[in-house]
Amino acid sequence: MNQKYEVNPDVLVTDLDDELALLDPHTSQMYTLNAVGRVVWQTLVLGRADEDELVQVVTQTFEVGDDQAREDIRSLLDDLERQSLVWRRGSGNSLIAAKI
């Protein structure tokens, strides 16, 4: 199944040119995303959020094959989801549930 993701709208984002800094205001934890992570995050923010679309954007932007891009994107999304920075659409998560 091609999972869809959405960003946590509470996350504060700072553009550092080639990186993005993400701040979770509830935990005060800061995360940085490299150039690939930045493209993934920006694509999620635009609402083009399913895994196949993310792979397509990454492979068109960077010199990387589909399999490697998919593996890296899954790893990034798993990390972001663990930190409640993104959610799987339809997973039942909400802002209230994520803050508990």
Side-chain angles (χ1 to χ4, degrees), residues 2 7-9 15-17 28 39 41-42 50 54-55 58 62-64 66-68 73-74 83 85-86 95 97-98:
N2 195 13
V7 299
N8 176 341
D15 187 340
L16 303 173
D17 292 325
S28 298
V39 167
W41 183 268
Q42 290 174 328
D50 76 29
L54 293 171
V55 169
V58 168
F62 302 97
E63 292 183 21
V64 62
D66 286 5
D67 292 340
Q68 184 64 53
I73 290 166
R74 282 182 181 160
Q83 302 303 323
L85 300 173
V86 300
L95 293 177

Side-chain angles (χ1 to χ4, degrees), residues 73-84:
I73 290 166
R74 282 182 181 160
S75 177
L76 173 63
L77 291 172
D78 286 346
D79 288 344
L80 294 174
E81 186 176 23
R82 247 188 317 280
Q83 302 303 323
S84 296

Side-chain angles (χ1 to χ4, degrees), residues 1-93:
M1 183 172 142
N2 195 13
Q3 185 64 56
K4 293 185 179 269
Y5 291 84
E6 60 185 296
V7 299
N8 176 341
D10 288 346
V11 174
L12 303 174
V13 180
T14 301
D15 187 340
L16 303 173
D17 292 325
D18 60 342
E19 294 182 326
L20 284 183
L22 309 178
L23 175 66
D24 181 340
H26 305 293
T27 65
S28 298
Q29 291 289 322
M30 182 176 277
Y31 307 89
T32 57
L33 300 177
N34 64 15
V36 175
R38 173 192 181 95
V39 167
V40 169
W41 183 268
Q42 290 174 328
T43 303
L44 290 172
V45 168
L46 293 173
R48 295 174 18 214
D50 76 29
E51 191 176 289
D52 288 341
E53 289 169 319
L54 293 171
V55 169
Q56 182 180 16
V57 169
V58 168
T59 57
Q60 289 175 350
T61 307
F62 302 97
E63 292 183 21
V64 62
D66 286 5
D67 292 340
Q68 184 64 53
R70 189 172 304 279
E71 181 180 323
D72 292 347
I73 290 166
R74 282 182 181 160
S75 177
L76 173 63
L77 291 172
D78 286 346
D79 288 344
L80 294 174
E81 186 176 23
R82 247 188 317 280
Q83 302 303 323
S84 296
L85 300 173
V86 300
W87 296 296
R88 293 173 196 244
R89 288 190 183 168
S91 66
N93 284 342

